[in-house]
Amino acid sequence: MILLNRAYGGYAATTIVQLPADTEAALIAQGHASTSAGPVTQGAVTATYLTGRVTIAIGAVSIVVTNAACNISSTVLAVVSQAAADGTLLRVERTLAAAGSFTIYGTAAATAATVVNWILIP
């Protein structure tokens, strides 16, 4: 995971993100990011990648990812991805693709920040 010093790939500056290892290494080498222990920044994100990691905030049951490659026919696969999962948001209940974004829904409102990995198949 890295902390972005400037906006990149649709992610805002000062956002902690997880990108492919070679991309993270290049951004660090160029001074555009620094290594971070995380967690991934909570809340809705905009991404240009077809894979990613988001964090559903405490009290939220869903998260929106804006991605121009997404349309109503897209497939989105998502899974809770952390060793000590939240006590209520145990898994992804469903995903809903729309034009330009998709929403990931959990089983219940999160009582702790909950990390979710996703992949978009346009």
Side-chain angles (χ1 to χ4, degrees):
M1 284 182 274
I2 58 173
L3 170 62
L4 295 173
N5 299 331
R6 60 174 61 178
Y8 177 80
Y11 294 102
T14 70
T15 302
I16 297 174
V17 298
Q18 184 171 23
L19 302 172
D22 59 336
T23 302
E24 288 184 355
L27 288 170
I28 291 169
Q30 295 170 12
H32 299 303
S34 57
T35 301
S36 176
V40 172
T41 301
Q42 298 179 28
V45 298
T46 299
T48 56
Y49 286 95
L50 297 179
T51 64
R53 174 178 276 196
V54 293
T55 301
I56 298 177
I58 296 170
V61 70
S62 65
I63 189 165
V64 176
V65 177
T66 302
N67 189 309
C70 190
N71 63 65
I72 60 170
S73 300
S74 296
T75 298
V76 179
L77 305 172
V79 62
V80 172
S81 181
Q82 61 191 42
D86 175 76
T88 57
L89 201 158
L90 302 174
R91 62 190 167 282
V92 171
E93 186 72 22
R94 65 186 172 106
T95 60
L96 179 62
S101 69
F102 58 89
T103 304
I104 300 169
Y105 294 92
T107 52
T111 56
T114 304
V115 178
V116 176
N117 286 344
W118 58 267
I119 182 167
L120 170 65
I121 303 168

